[in-house]
Amino acid sequence: ALGMAQVAGDIPGAADIATVLGVEGRCAALYWGAFGHLLMGEIGFGGRRKRPPPDPVNALLSFGYVLLTNLLTSALDAYWLDPFLGFLHAGTYGHPSLALDLVEPFRSPVIDRMAVRLVNLRMLRPEHFVPVVLAGAVAVGLLVLIGLSVRLFKGAGRFRPALPPTDPQRHTGSD
């Protein structure tokens, strides 16, 4: 963690977004280098890789990030905010940039923590994953996506944001 704090110290002097993203990349390398040490049991982790995820932990992380991004995209839509007008993730046409920006602070405490918990409590085991072929590459997919999503978000209703009134004429923004 000390190394990450030292690297993050470069952010105040950053001249542009590209520099900030470079610092983020260096911090991510340190984070993912340590992440595997949190996992116990029969599912291993050789580092963060995606598109396609090559192992169960990467598949679980990617799946969680997609669910969280979709939840935040829906919440932004509910508040009449454009999920495609972001800051750090801007510039990629067709991606919900603002939702992706808002996902960042929740990745570690929500999705990464949940993945560690599911693996360490052996709620997910190797037999819950199957290899799949995506665009010619072998990836690992969750065997029971629907069952897992129901299991993971079983009590998620208590975390839903309060939705604005459905009549835009009544919603003045002052309440």
mmCIF file of all heavy atoms in Angstrom, residues 105-131:
data_model
loop_
_atom_site.group_PDB
_atom_site.id
_atom_site.type_symbol
_atom_site.label_atom_id
_atom_site.label_comp_id
_atom_site.label_asym_id
_atom_site.label_seq_id
_atom_site.Cartn_x
_atom_site.Cartn_y
_atom_site.Cartn_z
ATOM 1 N N PRO A 105 -15.050 4.090 -7.968
ATOM 2 C CA PRO A 105 -14.869 4.011 -6.509
ATOM 3 C C PRO A 105 -15.537 2.800 -5.862
ATOM 4 O O PRO A 105 -15.272 2.500 -4.698
ATOM 5 C CB PRO A 105 -15.489 5.309 -5.983
ATOM 6 C CG PRO A 105 -16.244 5.909 -7.095
ATOM 7 C CD PRO A 105 -15.797 5.273 -8.364
ATOM 8 N N PHE A 106 -16.398 2.089 -6.617
ATOM 9 C CA PHE A 106 -17.104 0.946 -6.050
ATOM 10 C C PHE A 106 -16.500 -0.392 -6.439
ATOM 11 O O PHE A 106 -16.900 -1.421 -5.915
ATOM 12 C CB PHE A 106 -18.582 0.976 -6.470
ATOM 13 C CG PHE A 106 -19.311 2.184 -5.975
ATOM 14 C CD1 PHE A 106 -19.633 3.216 -6.828
ATOM 15 C CD2 PHE A 106 -19.656 2.290 -4.637
ATOM 16 C CE1 PHE A 106 -20.295 4.343 -6.383
ATOM 17 C CE2 PHE A 106 -20.317 3.413 -4.163
ATOM 18 C CZ PHE A 106 -20.637 4.436 -5.034
ATOM 19 N N ARG A 107 -15.561 -0.388 -7.375
ATOM 20 C CA ARG A 107 -14.983 -1.656 -7.837
ATOM 21 C C ARG A 107 -14.396 -2.465 -6.681
ATOM 22 O O ARG A 107 -14.756 -3.611 -6.465
ATOM 23 C CB ARG A 107 -13.907 -1.412 -8.883
ATOM 24 C CG ARG A 107 -14.438 -1.032 -10.240
ATOM 25 C CD ARG A 107 -13.281 -0.808 -11.213
ATOM 26 N NE ARG A 107 -13.742 -0.341 -12.485
ATOM 27 C CZ ARG A 107 -13.950 -1.144 -13.541
ATOM 28 N NH1 ARG A 107 -13.731 -2.428 -13.435
ATOM 29 N NH2 ARG A 107 -14.366 -0.640 -14.668
ATOM 30 N N SER A 108 -13.477 -1.877 -5.967
ATOM 31 C CA SER A 108 -12.794 -2.611 -4.898
ATOM 32 C C SER A 108 -13.709 -2.942 -3.710
ATOM 33 O O SER A 108 -13.784 -4.102 -3.308
ATOM 34 C CB SER A 108 -11.566 -1.821 -4.442
ATOM 35 O OG SER A 108 -10.936 -2.482 -3.386
ATOM 36 N N PRO A 109 -14.414 -1.958 -3.137
ATOM 37 C CA PRO A 109 -15.202 -2.300 -1.948
ATOM 38 C C PRO A 109 -16.452 -3.129 -2.225
ATOM 39 O O PRO A 109 -16.964 -3.773 -1.316
ATOM 40 C CB PRO A 109 -15.585 -0.938 -1.367
ATOM 41 C CG PRO A 109 -15.524 0.002 -2.502
ATOM 42 C CD PRO A 109 -14.454 -0.527 -3.421
ATOM 43 N N VAL A 110 -16.930 -3.139 -3.457
ATOM 44 C CA VAL A 110 -18.152 -3.900 -3.748
ATOM 45 C C VAL A 110 -17.825 -5.174 -4.523
ATOM 46 O O VAL A 110 -18.007 -6.279 -4.006
ATOM 47 C CB VAL A 110 -19.178 -3.033 -4.527
ATOM 48 C CG1 VAL A 110 -20.408 -3.855 -4.899
ATOM 49 C CG2 VAL A 110 -19.580 -1.820 -3.712
ATOM 50 N N ILE A 111 -17.328 -5.047 -5.734
ATOM 51 C CA ILE A 111 -17.150 -6.219 -6.598
ATOM 52 C C ILE A 111 -15.930 -7.045 -6.201
ATOM 53 O O ILE A 111 -16.027 -8.269 -6.038
ATOM 54 C CB ILE A 111 -17.067 -5.800 -8.077
ATOM 55 C CG1 ILE A 111 -18.314 -5.005 -8.476
ATOM 56 C CG2 ILE A 111 -16.862 -7.020 -8.970
ATOM 57 C CD1 ILE A 111 -19.636 -5.716 -8.264
ATOM 58 N N ASP A 112 -14.782 -6.408 -6.025
ATOM 59 C CA ASP A 112 -13.578 -7.169 -5.672
ATOM 60 C C ASP A 112 -13.757 -7.869 -4.325
ATOM 61 O O ASP A 112 -13.388 -9.034 -4.165
ATOM 62 C CB ASP A 112 -12.350 -6.256 -5.623
ATOM 63 C CG ASP A 112 -12.066 -5.574 -6.952
ATOM 64 O OD1 ASP A 112 -12.802 -5.810 -7.942
ATOM 65 O OD2 ASP A 112 -11.117 -4.770 -7.007
ATOM 66 N N ARG A 113 -14.333 -7.158 -3.374
ATOM 67 C CA ARG A 113 -14.563 -7.742 -2.046
ATOM 68 C C ARG A 113 -15.523 -8.923 -2.135
ATOM 69 O O ARG A 113 -15.334 -9.953 -1.486
ATOM 70 C CB ARG A 113 -15.111 -6.669 -1.111
ATOM 71 C CG ARG A 113 -15.303 -7.153 0.293
ATOM 72 C CD ARG A 113 -15.741 -6.029 1.185
ATOM 73 N NE ARG A 113 -15.929 -6.542 2.534
ATOM 74 C CZ ARG A 113 -16.643 -5.950 3.449
ATOM 75 N NH1 ARG A 113 -17.229 -4.803 3.196
ATOM 76 N NH2 ARG A 113 -16.772 -6.486 4.637
ATOM 77 N N MET A 114 -16.583 -8.763 -2.950
ATOM 78 C CA MET A 114 -17.543 -9.849 -3.120
ATOM 79 C C MET A 114 -16.863 -11.058 -3.757
ATOM 80 O O MET A 114 -17.085 -12.197 -3.342
ATOM 81 C CB MET A 114 -18.704 -9.385 -3.995
ATOM 82 C CG MET A 114 -19.689 -10.484 -4.327
ATOM 83 S SD MET A 114 -20.734 -10.055 -5.725
ATOM 84 C CE MET A 114 -19.545 -9.858 -7.024
ATOM 85 N N ALA A 115 -16.005 -10.837 -4.751
ATOM 86 C CA ALA A 115 -15.315 -11.944 -5.409
ATOM 87 C C ALA A 115 -14.426 -12.688 -4.420
ATOM 88 O O ALA A 115 -14.430 -13.921 -4.381
ATOM 89 C CB ALA A 115 -14.487 -11.416 -6.586
ATOM 90 N N VAL A 116 -13.685 -11.953 -3.610
ATOM 91 C CA VAL A 116 -12.829 -12.586 -2.602
ATOM 92 C C VAL A 116 -13.675 -13.407 -1.635
ATOM 93 O O VAL A 116 -13.341 -14.547 -1.304
ATOM 94 C CB VAL A 116 -11.988 -11.526 -1.843
ATOM 95 C CG1 VAL A 116 -11.318 -12.131 -0.626
ATOM 96 C CG2 VAL A 116 -10.960 -10.905 -2.772
ATOM 97 N N ARG A 117 -14.774 -12.846 -1.218
ATOM 98 C CA ARG A 117 -15.657 -13.542 -0.272
ATOM 99 C C ARG A 117 -16.234 -14.822 -0.882
ATOM 100 O O ARG A 117 -16.261 -15.870 -0.244
ATOM 101 C CB ARG A 117 -16.767 -12.602 0.176
ATOM 102 C CG ARG A 117 -17.670 -13.163 1.231
ATOM 103 C CD ARG A 117 -18.609 -12.062 1.750
ATOM 104 N NE ARG A 117 -19.571 -12.565 2.682
ATOM 105 C CZ ARG A 117 -19.347 -12.776 3.968
ATOM 106 N NH1 ARG A 117 -18.154 -12.530 4.464
ATOM 107 N NH2 ARG A 117 -20.287 -13.236 4.756
ATOM 108 N N LEU A 118 -16.717 -14.744 -2.123
ATOM 109 C CA LEU A 118 -17.300 -15.918 -2.776
ATOM 110 C C LEU A 118 -16.276 -17.030 -2.964
ATOM 111 O O LEU A 118 -16.591 -18.210 -2.812
ATOM 112 C CB LEU A 118 -17.908 -15.522 -4.122
ATOM 113 C CG LEU A 118 -19.178 -14.688 -4.059
ATOM 114 C CD1 LEU A 118 -19.563 -14.195 -5.451
ATOM 115 C CD2 LEU A 118 -20.321 -15.481 -3.446
ATOM 116 N N VAL A 119 -15.044 -16.646 -3.291
ATOM 117 C CA VAL A 119 -13.991 -17.648 -3.485
ATOM 118 C C VAL A 119 -13.532 -18.205 -2.132
ATOM 119 O O VAL A 119 -13.427 -19.422 -1.952
ATOM 120 C CB VAL A 119 -12.807 -17.047 -4.273
ATOM 121 C CG1 VAL A 119 -11.605 -17.978 -4.259
ATOM 122 C CG2 VAL A 119 -13.232 -16.742 -5.699
ATOM 123 N N ASN A 120 -13.275 -17.332 -1.164
ATOM 124 C CA ASN A 120 -12.741 -17.792 0.116
ATOM 125 C C ASN A 120 -13.744 -18.598 0.935
ATOM 126 O O ASN A 120 -13.357 -19.498 1.670
ATOM 127 C CB ASN A 120 -12.226 -16.605 0.933
ATOM 128 C CG ASN A 120 -10.945 -16.043 0.365
ATOM 129 O OD1 ASN A 120 -10.324 -16.638 -0.522
ATOM 130 N ND2 ASN A 120 -10.541 -14.882 0.849
ATOM 131 N N LEU A 121 -15.016 -18.292 0.810
ATOM 132 C CA LEU A 121 -16.043 -19.066 1.514
ATOM 133 C C LEU A 121 -16.463 -20.292 0.710
ATOM 134 O O LEU A 121 -17.363 -21.022 1.114
ATOM 135 C CB LEU A 121 -17.265 -18.187 1.815
ATOM 136 C CG LEU A 121 -17.034 -17.067 2.825
ATOM 137 C CD1 LEU A 121 -18.293 -16.218 2.981
ATOM 138 C CD2 LEU A 121 -16.595 -17.638 4.167
ATOM 139 N N ARG A 122 -15.817 -20.466 -0.440
ATOM 140 C CA ARG A 122 -16.065 -21.595 -1.341
ATOM 141 C C ARG A 122 -17.530 -21.662 -1.797
ATOM 142 O O ARG A 122 -18.079 -22.735 -2.017
ATOM 143 C CB ARG A 122 -15.605 -22.901 -0.711
ATOM 144 C CG ARG A 122 -14.085 -22.954 -0.619
ATOM 145 C CD ARG A 122 -13.576 -24.070 0.260
ATOM 146 N NE ARG A 122 -12.133 -24.131 0.313
ATOM 147 C CZ ARG A 122 -11.340 -23.286 0.977
ATOM 148 N NH1 ARG A 122 -11.845 -22.260 1.604
ATOM 149 N NH2 ARG A 122 -10.031 -23.448 0.999
ATOM 150 N N MET A 123 -18.153 -20.483 -1.911
ATOM 151 C CA MET A 123 -19.500 -20.410 -2.467
ATOM 152 C C MET A 123 -19.432 -20.644 -3.973
ATOM 153 O O MET A 123 -20.398 -21.075 -4.579
ATOM 154 C CB MET A 123 -20.129 -19.058 -2.144
ATOM 155 C CG MET A 123 -20.371 -18.857 -0.654
ATOM 156 S SD MET A 123 -20.865 -17.176 -0.239
ATOM 157 C CE MET A 123 -22.511 -17.121 -0.880
ATOM 158 N N LEU A 124 -18.289 -20.310 -4.556
ATOM 159 C CA LEU A 124 -18.016 -20.624 -5.953
ATOM 160 C C LEU A 124 -16.777 -21.500 -6.005
ATOM 161 O O LEU A 124 -15.788 -21.223 -5.349
ATOM 162 C CB LEU A 124 -17.790 -19.352 -6.766
ATOM 163 C CG LEU A 124 -19.020 -18.513 -7.036
ATOM 164 C CD1 LEU A 124 -18.658 -17.253 -7.793
ATOM 165 C CD2 LEU A 124 -20.070 -19.297 -7.802
ATOM 166 N N ARG A 125 -16.885 -22.564 -6.793
ATOM 167 C CA ARG A 125 -15.793 -23.511 -6.936
ATOM 168 C C ARG A 125 -15.492 -23.698 -8.425
ATOM 169 O O ARG A 125 -16.268 -23.273 -9.270
ATOM 170 C CB ARG A 125 -16.190 -24.828 -6.279
ATOM 171 C CG ARG A 125 -16.366 -24.700 -4.760
ATOM 172 C CD ARG A 125 -16.787 -26.009 -4.101
ATOM 173 N NE ARG A 125 -18.011 -26.596 -4.626
ATOM 174 C CZ ARG A 125 -19.243 -26.184 -4.315
ATOM 175 N NH1 ARG A 125 -19.426 -25.179 -3.491
ATOM 176 N NH2 ARG A 125 -20.306 -26.780 -4.830
ATOM 177 N N PRO A 126 -14.394 -24.320 -8.767
ATOM 178 C CA PRO A 126 -14.027 -24.481 -10.187
ATOM 179 C C PRO A 126 -15.138 -25.095 -11.043
ATOM 180 O O PRO A 126 -15.293 -24.732 -12.205
ATOM 181 C CB PRO A 126 -12.795 -25.382 -10.138
ATOM 182 C CG PRO A 126 -12.181 -25.084 -8.821
ATOM 183 C CD PRO A 126 -13.347 -24.841 -7.882
ATOM 184 N N GLU A 127 -15.931 -25.980 -10.478
ATOM 185 C CA GLU A 127 -16.976 -26.623 -11.287
ATOM 186 C C GLU A 127 -18.130 -25.686 -11.646
ATOM 187 O O GLU A 127 -18.976 -26.017 -12.468
ATOM 188 C CB GLU A 127 -17.521 -27.881 -10.586
ATOM 189 C CG GLU A 127 -18.155 -27.645 -9.237
ATOM 190 C CD GLU A 127 -17.183 -27.797 -8.067
ATOM 191 O OE1 GLU A 127 -15.953 -27.744 -8.280
ATOM 192 O OE2 GLU A 127 -17.670 -27.949 -6.935
ATOM 193 N N HIS A 128 -18.147 -24.490 -11.054
ATOM 194 C CA HIS A 128 -19.158 -23.497 -11.409
ATOM 195 C C HIS A 128 -18.783 -22.708 -12.661
ATOM 196 O O HIS A 128 -19.534 -21.836 -13.088
ATOM 197 C CB HIS A 128 -19.388 -22.524 -10.254
ATOM 198 C CG HIS A 128 -20.015 -23.160 -9.074
ATOM 199 N ND1 HIS A 128 -19.471 -23.077 -7.813
ATOM 200 C CD2 HIS A 128 -21.141 -23.908 -8.947
ATOM 201 C CE1 HIS A 128 -20.228 -23.733 -6.961
ATOM 202 N NE2 HIS A 128 -21.244 -24.248 -7.627
ATOM 203 N N PHE A 129 -17.638 -23.000 -13.231
ATOM 204 C CA PHE A 129 -17.140 -22.277 -14.388
ATOM 205 C C PHE A 129 -16.873 -23.255 -15.521
ATOM 206 O O PHE A 129 -16.488 -24.386 -15.283
ATOM 207 C CB PHE A 129 -15.848 -21.539 -14.039
ATOM 208 C CG PHE A 129 -16.019 -20.520 -12.942
ATOM 209 C CD1 PHE A 129 -15.941 -20.888 -11.611
ATOM 210 C CD2 PHE A 129 -16.280 -19.194 -13.248
ATOM 211 C CE1 PHE A 129 -16.110 -19.953 -10.604
ATOM 212 C CE2 PHE A 129 -16.448 -18.254 -12.253
ATOM 213 C CZ PHE A 129 -16.370 -18.624 -10.926
ATOM 214 N N VAL A 130 -17.085 -22.808 -16.734
ATOM 215 C CA VAL A 130 -16.814 -23.646 -17.901
ATOM 216 C C VAL A 130 -16.019 -22.831 -18.915
ATOM 217 O O VAL A 130 -16.209 -21.618 -19.027
ATOM 218 C CB VAL A 130 -18.115 -24.154 -18.568
ATOM 219 C CG1 VAL A 130 -18.855 -25.106 -17.661
ATOM 220 C CG2 VAL A 130 -19.006 -23.002 -18.979
ATOM 221 N N PRO A 131 -15.123 -23.486 -19.652
ATOM 222 C CA PRO A 131 -14.418 -22.756 -20.716
ATOM 223 C C PRO A 131 -15.380 -22.497 -21.882
ATOM 224 O O PRO A 131 -16.195 -23.337 -22.220
ATOM 225 C CB PRO A 131 -13.287 -23.690 -21.115
ATOM 226 C CG PRO A 131 -13.665 -25.032 -20.594
ATOM 227 C CD PRO A 131 -14.654 -24.835 -19.486
#
